[in-house]
Amino acid sequence: MRLLHRHFIIGVTGGIAAYKTCELVRRLQDEGATVQVIMTEAGGRFVSALTFQALSGRPVYTDAWTSPSGSGPANGMPHIDLSREADGILIAPASADFIAQLANGQTESLLATLCLAREIPLLIAPAMNRQMWQNAATQRNIDTLRSDGTAILGPSSGDQACGEIGDGRMLEPAELLQHLVDHFGPDSGAREAAQFPNIRGILQDASVVITAGPTFEPIDPVRGITNRSSGKMGFAIAQAAARAGARVTLIAGPVHLATPEGIVRIDVQTAEQMHQAVMDCIERTAAEIFIGVAAVADWRPETTQAGKIKKSSGSLHDIRWVENPDILAAVARRQPAPICVGFAAESGSLDDLRALLPAKRERKQVPLLIGNIGAEAFGEDTNQIMLCDANGITLLPPARKLELAHHLLTHIATLRNRPR
Ligand code: C5P
C-alpha cells in the first residue's frame, strides 16, 4: 500500500494506449490510492467511460458542462474543485494534440481547463506515432512543459500500434505506477531531505512555533474577510524545521494542505484565535523560536452578525472594523522572547522591498525579517525572498518554497548560536 490515502486524477486523451490506463487505474487502487478519471472526447473513442467508471468506482467526467449524475462537486465547478481534492494529475495517454493544448494554456476540454487551474503536480505520459513525437512542434511543446515544471514520463521505444517501430510508446502501467510512487509514495519526502543533508539536527530538540496561512474574520454566518495566502511557505518551513530536529507546532489558518510528518498542527480561523493559540503554545512548549509566516488579517468586524445579512438591508455599510492583535509584536515583547522571525509580503519591486525592510524590522523589534513580493508568491510553489537582519540584507535566488525554507532555517540556526 505505497499510495495509501493518495488521490489522483487520471486524464485519458485520444490514443490506443488508453487500454493500458485501465490496468494502471486498477493497480493504483491496489496501492491504496483513489482515482478520479477524466476523459477528453477523443479519449472516449478508444475506451468507454463506463469501463473506467467500473474500474475506479467513480463516475467519469468528460466535459465541463455536465457532471456525471449524483457526483457533482459542491459548487458545480469541476474544473476547479476536482484538482483541489487531488494530490496530482497524470495524463495517460497524453496525445500530441493534448500536449500542444497544455503547452499553450488552452482550455478546449474539462481536462485541459483543470490542468490550467491546478495547483498540484502535473505528470504526463506521452503516447503517439514516432514521427509525431519527433516532430519539432511536439518537441518544442515538451520543452515548454518541462520548463513549466511538468514531469514527462517516457515515452519508450518499440513496436507501435501503427505498425512502425520507434519512440512514442506510452510507458507500461507498472512503470507509470513506479513514477507515481516515486513522486507521492512514502519515500518521496525522504528523497527531498537527501538533497539537504546539512539541515539534519541543526535545531535538535528546539521548540519552534510557526504560524501559516490566512485568517478568516467572519462578518455573518456565511461571509467573512480573508486573503490569498495558501500557507505553502509556512508549511514548508514547518516541514524543514522538523527535519532539522526541532519540535514543531504549526498554527494554521484555513488552508488546504496536508500536515507535514512529525509536527503538531493546530487549526484556527480568526486572528484572535491564532493569537490565543500562539501565546498558549509559546508558554507551554517554552518556544525558542517563533516564525510568523501567517498573513494575519489586520482588521475584523467588531461583531459577527448572528443571521445572514440580507442584501436588501444594506447593512454591510455599517460594519465597524477593529484592529486585530499583532501576534508577532506580542511574542517579541515577551520577556524573555523567543527568536522572532517575521514575514513582510509587500507589493512593488525588489528595490522597494530592500528599502523598506530595515525600518520595518526595527519597528517589529525582530532579529530577522523576511521580505517577499506578496502578490506574486501567494499560492505558488516557488518564491523569492530577502533576508534582513542586523548585518543587512541578503537576496536569495528564486527557488521552491521547501528549498528556501531550508536556507532560512540554516540562517535561523546561526542566529540561535550567536550570543544575544
Ligand atoms: O505589518 P505586517 O502585517 O506587514 O507584518 C507581517 C508580519 O507580522 C508577519 O510575520 C505576520 O505573520 C505578522 N503579523 C502578526 N499579526 C498581525 C499582523 C501581522 O503576527 N496581526
Side-chain angles (χ1 to χ4, degrees):
M1 288 274 189
R2 292 171 298 169
L3 293 170
L4 195 61
H5 304 313
R6 292 295 195 186
H7 179 60
F8 297 106
I9 290 173
I10 301 295
V12 180
T13 74
I16 183 61
Y19 79 90
K20 297 190 199 174
T21 311
C22 300
E23 170 74 7
L24 175 67
V25 169
R26 250 263 80 87
R27 287 190 175 213
L28 280 168
Q29 290 172 102
D30 292 343
E31 292 286 352
T34 49
V35 176
Q36 174 64 60
V37 177
I38 302 178
M39 306 180 81
T40 62
E41 206 247 317
R45 290 176 185 257
F46 290 88
V47 176
S48 83
L50 203 60
T51 304
F52 281 114
Q53 175 173 331
L55 287 170
S56 67
R58 288 175 177 237
V60 170
Y61 281 76
T62 47
D63 73 65
W65 311 113
T66 49
S67 296
S69 54
S71 68
N75 70 3
M77 290 203 216
H79 64 292
I80 306 289
D81 293 332
L82 290 171
S83 76
R84 297 296 181 266
E85 298 158 8
D87 293 294
I89 305 177
L90 169 65
I91 311 294
S95 66
D97 178 65
F98 194 77
I99 288 170
Q101 288 181 42
L102 282 183
N104 290 293
Q106 286 169 293
T107 56
E108 276 153 37
S109 58
L110 170 63
L111 187 57
T113 313
L114 188 126
C115 290
L116 198 66
R118 80 185 195 283
E119 292 179 328
I120 51 177
L122 175 63
L123 302 87
I124 66 168
M128 66 197 75
N129 160 273
R130 69 184 169 89
Q131 270 159 337
M132 291 170 82
W133 172 251
Q134 281 158 7
N135 189 289
T138 304
Q139 289 304 311
R140 261 196 318 275
N141 290 333
I142 288 289
D143 285 346
T144 303
L145 287 176
R146 203 175 267 126
S147 63
D148 289 347
T150 303
I152 316 292
L153 314 183
S156 65
S157 194
D159 289 345
Q160 300 208 304
C162 54
E164 298 183 5
I165 298 175
D167 283 341
R169 273 171 65 99
M170 186 171 91
L171 295 187
E172 294 303 314
E175 296 171 294
L176 292 175
L177 179 68
Q178 189 56 50
H179 277 291
L180 289 175
V181 169
D182 288 347
H183 272 81
F184 302 99
D187 287 334
S188 52
R191 207 177 2 267
E192 266 190 288
Q195 290 172 11
F196 302 100
N198 300 337
I199 200 165
R200 291 236 166 266
I202 62 172
L203 291 174
Q204 197 59 45
D205 297 327
S207 160
V208 178
V209 175
I210 300 168
T211 63
T215 62
F216 180 86
E217 312 296 331
I219 293 172
D220 69 15
V222 295
R223 303 185 184 89
I225 183 160
T226 185
N227 59 66
R228 296 163 73 110
S229 168
S230 65
K232 285 182 181 173
M233 190 73 223
F235 274 60
I237 292 173
Q239 190 176 350
R243 283 180 191 166
R247 292 178 285 121
V248 183
T249 311
L250 176 63
I251 299 167
V255 295
H256 301 279
L257 295 174
T259 311
E261 240 178 77
I263 67 164
V264 176
R265 169 172 172 176
I266 300 172
D267 284 317
V268 297
Q269 293 280 317
T270 67
E272 284 187 301
Q273 289 166 357
M274 188 175 272
H275 178 238
Q276 191 59 54
V278 166
M279 289 312 188
D280 290 351
C281 275
I282 300 267
E283 186 72 43
R284 194 177 58 248
T285 66
E288 265 190 75
I289 298 168
F290 172 66
I291 312 177
V293 196
V296 185
D298 292 317
W299 301 86
R300 68 174 184 278
E302 190 173 40
T303 51
T304 302
Q305 300 295 316
K308 183 181 170 195
I309 300 169
K310 292 255 181 300
K311 189 173 168 187
S312 55
S313 76
S315 54
L316 281 190
H317 297 293
D318 304 329
I319 295 175
R320 281 174 52 85
W321 297 92
V322 292
E323 211 167 320
N324 272 326
D326 188 322
I327 303 167
L328 181 62
V331 177
R333 273 197 305 269
R334 282 175 61 94
Q335 289 296 340
I339 297 173
C340 287
V341 181
F343 267 72
E346 306 289 342
S347 45
S349 67
L350 285 174
D351 282 340
D352 298 334
L353 196 57
R354 195 185 294 277
L356 67 78
L357 282 185
K360 184 159 187 167
R361 188 181 80 86
E362 288 292 324
R363 208 168 48 247
K364 291 263 174 187
Q365 290 284 299
V366 292
L368 179 61
L369 186 66
I370 313 300
N372 64 4
I373 305 297
E376 285 170 19
F378 278 6
E380 299 295 323
D381 289 326
T382 56
N383 194 4
Q384 179 159 33
I385 61 173
M386 213 179 254
L387 277 49
C388 174
D389 66 12
N391 293 330
I393 286 188
T394 315
L395 176 65
L396 299 183
R400 282 165 48 78
K401 287 181 174 171
L402 190 56
E403 192 175 336
L404 293 171
H406 283 80
H407 286 295
L408 185 56
L409 287 168
T410 310
H411 196 85
I412 293 172
T414 32
L415 287 182
R416 178 172 172 243
N417 294 335
R418 252 181 231 161
R420 284 203 276 165

